[in-house]
Amino acid sequence: MTVSIEKWFDGHKCWETTAVSSVVAARQQLQSIKSEIMQSKIYCVFKDTPNEFFYRNENARDIKYRIVKYFTKQPL
């Protein structure tokens, strides 16, 4: 299986990470992204699971990172 992480900004997809070959590797990438984000100011966390991180920043912008299957683009 090939998976990647998508970033959504206010309901619009803005980028996607390089695909990796396992969910475990994608989860490690997501944890790395999340640890960088947690250093900045976060207003509210809506969802924090191994496959998705959804929060609102200090500027009231909704930002979502989610792991998707690369060949179907479906959330895990």
Side-chain angles (χ1 to χ4, degrees), residues 20-72:
V20 292
S21 60
S22 72
V23 174
V24 173
R27 286 180 176 164
Q28 289 172 345
Q29 281 184 338
L30 184 59
Q31 287 301 316
S32 176
I33 292 168
K34 186 173 130 182
S35 67
E36 290 177 24
I37 292 168
M38 296 304 278
Q39 295 172 3
S40 63
K41 193 172 185 180
I42 293 178
Y43 178 71
C44 181
V45 175
F46 296 111
K47 190 171 186 179
D48 186 5
T49 67
N51 297 328
E52 187 173 348
F53 184 58
F54 181 27
Y55 71 98
R56 180 169 289 157
N57 67 11
E58 70 275 8
N59 298 322
R61 301 292 189 159
D62 293 339
I63 301 170
K64 182 191 307 187
Y65 293 88
R66 69 178 186 173
I67 297 173
V68 294
K69 295 180 210 175
Y70 189 74
F71 55 91
T72 61

Side-chain angles (χ1 to χ4, degrees), residues 2-6 16-20 26 29 66-70 73:
T2 304
V3 294
S4 64
I5 299 171
E6 294 179 337
E16 186 173 329
T17 62
T18 304
V20 292
Q29 281 184 338
R66 69 178 186 173
I67 297 173
V68 294
K69 295 180 210 175
Y70 189 74
K73 301 287 185 182

